[in-house]
Amino acid sequence: MYQRIVLIGRLGRDPESRFTPDGTPVTTFSVATDRRWTDASGQQQSKTVWFRVVAWRRLAETCNQYLSKGQLVMVEGEVQEPKPYQSKDGEWRASLDVTARSVQFLSPKGERQDGGESGGDGDTGEESIPF
């Protein structure tokens, strides 16, 4: 059996990088996907779904170096089993975790959603990073 998910969305925060005890790099970041539609009564509706993405090894290093909050990315990977948790308001929710196999940087070089400049050297044109 095989499963795959493709996400296109914006980073909700800057990536966080760390190393496992054996020295393997791992980077996590959140991606928001938005859906907008008009309902039967003509009202505009929208829904945002958040995913927590984990990248490993060279892909982790590249994501940590070039990605920043607000950038548009396409992530291809594998969905992990959802983890239920209770939010601060008492509602039960599920954490949707994705292990990235590849990441494409879709934002033009150095651009964020708010129109500002991202940090680093910004060499992030449409680049695909294989796992």
Side-chain angles (χ1 to χ4, degrees):
M1 298 286 172
Y2 179 76
Q3 52 107 347
R4 176 176 88 166
I5 188 169
V6 177
L7 306 170
I8 297 177
R10 295 202 179 270
L11 266 69
R13 64 175 191 255
D14 288 338
E16 296 176 9
S17 186
R18 62 181 176 82
F19 293 89
T20 63
D22 70 356
T24 304
V26 58
T27 296
T28 59
F29 53 94
S30 58
V31 174
T33 60
D34 296 319
R35 180 173 165 243
R36 292 181 175 85
W37 71 95
T38 304
D39 66 14
S41 65
Q43 296 291 318
Q44 292 288 325
Q45 302 290 323
S46 68
K47 181 175 182 168
T48 301
V49 177
W50 287 91
F51 294 86
R52 183 174 173 259
V53 179
V54 179
W56 293 87
R57 299 175 187 79
R58 181 163 168 10
L59 180 59
E61 294 171 336
T62 304
C63 288
N64 187 56
Q65 181 178 359
Y66 293 111
L67 290 178
S68 62
K69 179 180 177 177
Q71 286 186 304
L72 186 64
V73 295
M74 181 173 79
V75 176
E76 181 181 341
E78 182 177 319
V79 178
Q80 304 306 311
E81 185 173 336
K83 298 173 190 158
Y85 69 94
Q86 196 167 16
S87 65
K88 292 178 184 176
D89 61 7
E91 289 191 41
W92 283 98
R93 300 175 187 255
S95 174
L96 300 171
D97 295 349
V98 175
T99 301
R101 298 288 178 218
S102 70
V103 175
Q104 281 191 359
F105 307 151
L106 302 178
S107 290
K109 188 175 180 178
E111 179 185 296
R112 294 190 317 220
Q113 181 180 13
D114 61 10
E117 293 294 316
S118 65
D121 62 12
D123 186 17
T124 61
E126 291 187 34
E127 181 177 346
S128 178
I129 314 303
F131 177 66

